[in-house]
Every structure is written in C-alpha cells, then in structure tokens.
Amino acid sequence: QGLVFVVFQLRLRLLASACGEEGAAATMAVREVSGHDSLRILRSQLPTFIEGLPRPDGHAVPQIWVPETVPVGPGAPLSWTFADAAATCTVRPDHLQPLDALKEAGLIGEKLDKAGVEAWLKEHDGKEAKVGGITGLPTHFVVVQDGNKPEAPGKPRTITIRCARDGDEVINDDGTKTVALGMTDGGEIRQFLGGKPLEAALIMLCRALHITELTCEVTTATGAQTTHVITDALLQVDEAASYLCGDKWGACRFPVPFGRPELPEEAAIHELDGRTGASLKFTLLNRSGRVWTLIAGGG
C-alpha cells in the first residue's frame, strides 16, 4: 500500500509539473468538503497520525480536541447525538462561506442548548439570506458542540497544508515551508518543521487521505500535557482517490457555491463522476438556453 501511495502521488506531481504552476489543481478532481465532514474527518483520523509520530524520550503524546458536529439539511433533521448532551453548541449554515461573512450576516447562533438550536434553525432554515454580497437560501447547516472545549489561553493560529508541485506546503505563523514528497518519515518531517508534531501529523494525514488542501484554526494549551484545540477546519480532497481512501473519508457532502442550488442534471453527472474512472464535470449555465458551451481538456 505504501508503494501504491507513493506512485499515485508521484504521478500526480509529475503531471502537475508538466502543466505549470496550476497543474496540481488541473490534474486532480478537487472537491471542497462541507464543514461538518471536514471536522468529522479530522476528529476520527487525526489522533491516529499524531500518536504514530516518533517523539523524544519522556514526551507525552499531544492530545487532539476536535468538536463533535451534527449535520442538518433536507432529509436530515436535527439529531442531538452528542456524547455530552448538556454542552452548548454553535450553529451556522454549511455552504463554505467564511465565518466573518456569516457573522456579519447574523447567521451564527452561539452558546445554544438543544431548544435554542431548534429555535434558531426554525428561524433561518429556508429563509433567503445575503452573505458576502450573494443572496441565496441556506439549506444545509452544521451544529458544532464547542461548549465543552478545553481551556486553551494561547493565541489562535491558522495552519494550512497545501498540495504543491514539489511537495506539501505548510503555511503557519512562521511562514511557508515545503515538505518534499520524498520525505516520508514522520520523525524526519517533524524535525524539518521545527519539532512541531501537529503540523507533521497533518502532513501525514493529508498524504494518506489524499487531501489536497487543509486549513484549520488551532489554539494550544501547554502544561503537563499539550492539547491542540481545533475549532474549525475546511478540507479539499482529490475525489479521484476515493477508491483508495473513501472508507476513511466516509460519506462526504461536496457543497455547491452558495446562491445556486445543484441542478438535477449536474447531480447526475457528479454521481457518475464519483463511480467511474473518468473525470466528468458539468455546469448548467442557462437552463432555458438552446446552446451549450462545452469546455473540455485532455492529457
């Protein structure tokens, strides 16, 4: 499996190199994952990678905290399945809009119990809203149970892992470093990144799950044991790799841009794209039009 992984990744990087700076995106079926599924994947998968990292003698395994989430949408009513039923939650639309834009639009409900979440959803579900200058109908929401997050007084920071031509870019407060594709040992990656286990574990996670870009908001509590508190995350995956790691992704929702619903014709092509080896993309620009514009590429 390790050989398959390296060959598959190397093939993508070689194709990207031949295609220029934007080749990485052009040679992969990159899909943005919903906020709920992004946090769900991190919560279920990331601890395994950070536990598997070599660490200096006497150093405990850093703890990872990622909030539980519940999706709400058509055919999926609110289901209060949290392990801590009493902790409060944040609820917001799950259409990939920036949090700042949602706050400005008044579309984030905070510190709500179950009754509060139900009331908030009743007020906003299916009601037209304007977010970042775009008007649309929020149809999908994510309920994030963050009322029980550990105390982490440190300064919040943003970490981005991005698949690039020469390796994987790590972008954080220290700047940008590129981890070469040939660097596969977790301990070596950790040392290259200045001894930071979280960034090293995120690199290993992205490579194993074919995540092309990951951005997460993190605060870190230090003391007898280090705890990394991840409060938000967004992932992009290479859907062409679903046959390799779809079981680890689970059933993901890939939202369409806010302001336009996915049309039945588009959904049919996306479904066909997901279960064949071909790369099929279809966007209906004008449903009433009589001329279709086809933009196609090959390789």
Side-chain angles (χ1 to χ4, degrees):
Q1 289 182 347
L3 179 60
V4 172
F5 164 70
V6 172
V7 171
F8 189 84
Q9 287 279 344
L10 184 58
R11 175 178 174 272
L12 291 179
R13 306 305 170 103
L14 289 174
L15 284 170
S17 179
C19 294
E21 290 296 332
E22 297 181 357
T27 55
M28 293 181 274
V30 175
R31 302 291 297 274
E32 292 181 291
V33 180
S34 70
H36 158 69
D37 290 313
S38 294
L39 288 169
R40 175 183 57 77
I41 290 172
L42 282 186
R43 180 179 172 85
S44 64
Q45 300 295 327
L46 183 56
T48 300
F49 290 92
I50 202 161
E51 289 167 7
L53 283 176
R55 56 187 179 276
D57 292 339
H59 285 231
V61 178
Q63 295 298 300
I64 298 290
W65 183 89
V66 182
E68 285 188 77
T69 58
V70 167
V72 179
L78 176 63
S79 178
W80 201 264
T81 56
F82 299 115
D84 184 356
T88 59
C89 298
T90 296
V91 57
R92 64 177 190 258
D94 195 1
H95 292 277
L96 304 177
Q97 302 108 316
L99 291 181
D100 290 344
L102 289 174
K103 287 181 180 178
E104 187 177 341
L107 289 176
I108 295 184
E110 299 178 294
K111 298 180 180 179
L112 302 176
D113 58 11
K114 182 179 180 181
V117 170
E118 290 173 339
W120 192 95
L121 288 170
K122 185 177 181 180
E123 179 183 354
H124 294 89
D125 188 13
K127 305 291 179 61
E128 190 174 87
K130 189 173 184 178
V131 181
I134 299 174
T135 300
L137 293 176
T139 56
H140 291 78
F141 301 85
V142 57
V143 182
V144 182
Q145 190 178 59
D146 51 8
N148 57 354
K149 69 181 178 183
E151 290 293 330
K155 179 183 176 182
R157 58 196 178 104
T158 301
I159 300 174
T160 298
I161 310 295
R162 181 179 298 150
C163 172
R165 180 195 303 182
D166 301 322
D168 295 288
E169 294 179 346
V170 180
I171 306 169
N172 55 24
D173 293 342
D174 298 329
T176 301
K177 283 190 173 182
T178 300
V179 179
L181 183 61
M183 191 182 296
T184 58
D185 179 73
E188 184 182 4
I189 292 174
R190 176 176 178 167
Q191 184 177 4
F192 176 76
L193 295 175
K196 295 183 177 180
L198 178 59
E199 281 86 338
L202 289 172
I203 285 283
M204 304 298 287
L205 169 78
C206 289
R207 289 181 173 183
L209 272 65
H210 291 268
I211 296 169
T212 61
E213 186 167 326
L214 178 156
T215 299
C216 59
E217 300 294 326
V218 186
T219 53
T220 300
T222 57
Q225 188 172 38
T226 299
T227 300
H228 299 293
V229 179
I230 298 177
T231 55
D232 195 30
L234 281 177
L235 309 182
Q236 296 180 10
V237 299
D238 177 12
E239 197 180 18
S242 60
Y243 75 98
L244 288 174
C245 46
D247 58 329
K248 294 180 180 177
W249 295 346
C252 289
R253 186 175 69 87
F254 303 112
V256 297
F258 180 69
R260 66 176 300 273
E262 184 176 57
L263 301 172
E265 296 87 349
E266 295 171 342
I269 297 299
H270 290 165
E271 191 272 336
L272 185 63
D273 176 49
R275 59 183 175 87
T276 68
S279 179
L280 306 174
K281 302 291 177 284
F282 177 66
T283 299
L284 190 55
L285 301 178
N286 181 3
R287 196 167 193 173
S288 302
R290 303 187 66 179
V291 177
W292 286 4
T293 300
L294 176 65
I295 301 175

